[in-house]
Amino acid sequence: MAVVEAVEGLAGKFRGSMAGALMGDCLGAPFEGESRASRSVLNSYFRRLADPALKVPYKLYTDDTAMTRCVAQSLIDEKGYCATDMAKKFVKEYYNEPKRGYGSNVTDVFAALRATKFQDVYAPAGIQFGGRGSYGNGAAMRIAPVALFCYDAPDKEVVHIAKDSSLLTHANRLGYNGAVLQKLEKLLELMEQGDSVTPSQVEDTLGVYISAHMSVPTAIYSFIRALNPVTNIESDNAFLRTIHYAISLGGDTDTIASMAGSIAGAYYGFSEIPESFHRHCEALSDAIEQADQLFKMRKPKSTET
Ligand code: AR6
Ligand code: MG
């Protein structure tokens, strides 16, 4: 792809967040579900990708990015949250490219949305898992554009869009909200132990699984842990270190690295993402384009009522 023109400041953070979500997904996908990759395998993976002379096909994005792109495009096209449009975009995207690695139950929601002609877009998710709804991490993995769109908006607006856009596919709210709070306490305990915390400890304490409450706190922890150098992780660029660390935990590597990458990208900004990595991820220019559009249309600051 063409060299991306540098932007700094807040616009760079928007780009960083969208690019970080994409890069975590693309770079983490080859390790998803496998037993944890050894530190030497991951160090050489990142070393190879950093080599400007390396010629390999770019890494494909998975359902995480496919859905993130839909969320972003819907917010852009509709200039806000429109449940029917977002649901339609998810379904269209899925039937265009069904082999992106979707969760095995969310595809029933897409089928039901299509079969019922989007009459009640929240209904199909509500009947998943015997009416309990999915607690998979598929709603959390696509949420970055909502945070960007609501950058200056009151908290209640962020919560409304985050919650309702999640409910289109994932209705099990009570179950995981409570669990996430408990996990955050454990996250604080791990933070106090600094660089001595091992990947097995993270797996046992926070989880590295497909469920939201066993992966969202892990992604947040990955970002915090990688603020400083991590033993056995060679990457000295802090953005890459975040993705590298998230992948090193094993399990749902693409999704945890994607969620961690979107936070790290927003924190460090796009200019901190090494250029040699840009060409390794499918459709980075689309992520940048969507980030720029979300930046331009972000809601003006308003006081909460
Ligand atoms: N009861 C039992 N199992 C559940 C429940 C529940 N209430 N909810 C979820 N699961 P799904 P997603 C399990 O299909 O969240 C890709 O690999 C169940 O095994 O709603 O969009 C991405 O990269 C179910 O199949 O999809 C992400 O890692 C699984 O959780 C992930 O999939 C996923 O829930 C996103 O999946
Ligand atoms: Mg995944």
Side-chain angles (χ1 to χ4, degrees):
M1 62 171 286
V3 174
V4 181
E5 189 195 330
V7 295
E8 301 292 336
L10 190 57
K13 287 176 171 290
F14 272 58
R15 285 185 173 187
S17 182
M18 289 297 286
L22 170 73
M23 292 176 77
D25 180 22
C26 292
L27 299 178
F31 302 95
E32 186 185 13
E34 291 186 11
S35 56
R36 202 179 293 136
S38 73
R39 73 177 102 127
S40 63
V41 164
L42 275 186
N43 277 327
S44 85
Y45 176 67
F46 276 88
R47 221 181 296 135
R48 265 165 52 81
L49 294 175
D51 177 359
L54 178 73
K55 287 199 172 38
V56 284
Y58 56 66
K59 302 199 181 307
L60 300 177
Y61 64 74
T62 76
D63 59 319
D64 301 51
T65 300
M67 298 197 86
T68 303
R69 288 161 59 101
C70 291
V71 171
Q73 204 54 49
S74 184
L75 292 171
I76 293 165
D77 290 350
E78 298 295 319
K79 300 181 179 52
Y81 176 60
C82 170
T84 306
D85 181 76
M86 199 175 282
K88 283 185 174 168
K89 283 189 164 61
F90 289 156
V91 169
K92 187 168 175 218
E93 170 63 35
Y94 170 66
Y95 284 102
N96 276 347
E97 294 191 328
K99 296 214 163 77
R100 289 277 187 186
Y102 286 86
S104 42
N105 291 73
V106 72
T107 55
D108 295 343
V109 176
F110 302 142
L113 283 168
R114 189 163 78 159
T116 56
K117 298 195 167 46
F118 302 91
Q119 257 170 13
D120 176 355
V121 286
Y122 294 107
I127 57 174
Q128 291 284 87
F129 297 97
R132 282 171 288 132
S134 172
Y135 53 62
N137 54 18
M141 74 187 183
R142 64 182 191 231
I143 208 69
V146 173
L148 300 182
F149 179 76
C150 295
Y151 177 75
D152 266 336
D155 288 351
K156 65 178 179 196
E157 175 90 350
V158 191
V159 172
H160 151 64
I161 302 184
K163 182 172 123 188
D164 288 8
S165 67
S166 297
L167 286 173
L168 290 171
T169 49
H170 290 70
N172 189 319
R173 293 170 291 150
L174 293 176
Y176 69 72
N177 279 349
V180 164
L181 291 179
Q182 281 171 18
K183 291 272 164 189
L184 290 177
E185 298 237 319
K186 298 207 163 144
L187 189 156
L188 291 176
E189 283 168 27
L190 286 184
M191 277 168 59
E192 279 166 15
Q193 295 174 49
D195 194 38
S196 68
V197 176
T198 64
S200 313
Q201 256 177 292
V202 178
E203 179 176 351
D204 294 345
T205 315
L206 299 179
V208 291
Y209 311 114
I210 208 167
S211 49
H213 59 288
M214 301 274 206
S215 56
V216 173
T218 318
I220 297 169
Y221 176 74
S222 298
F223 163 68
I224 294 168
R225 176 78 181 267
L227 287 166
N228 297 306
V230 181
T231 307
N232 297 327
I233 301 248
E234 270 180 13
S235 301
D236 55 7
N237 170 278
F239 170 81
L240 287 182
R241 183 161 64 227
T242 309
I243 293 195
H244 188 152
Y245 180 73
I247 297 173
S248 79
L249 298 172
D252 196 359
T253 48
D254 56 344
T255 302
I256 296 173
S258 178
M259 295 188 292
S262 72
I263 302 172
Y267 183 75
Y268 298 112
F270 185 73
S271 58
E272 290 300 311
I273 301 178
E275 220 173 292
S276 53
F277 279 73
H278 293 185
R279 67 206 162 91
H280 291 309
C281 300
E282 180 184 5
L284 177 67
S285 52
D286 289 354
I288 302 288
E289 169 70 27
Q290 288 188 323
D292 287 354
Q293 293 198 44
L294 288 166
F295 177 70
K296 276 191 219 131
M297 66 192 296
R298 73 195 184 282
K299 299 203 160 183
K301 208 168 196 84
S302 55
T303 40
E304 204 148 349
T305 48

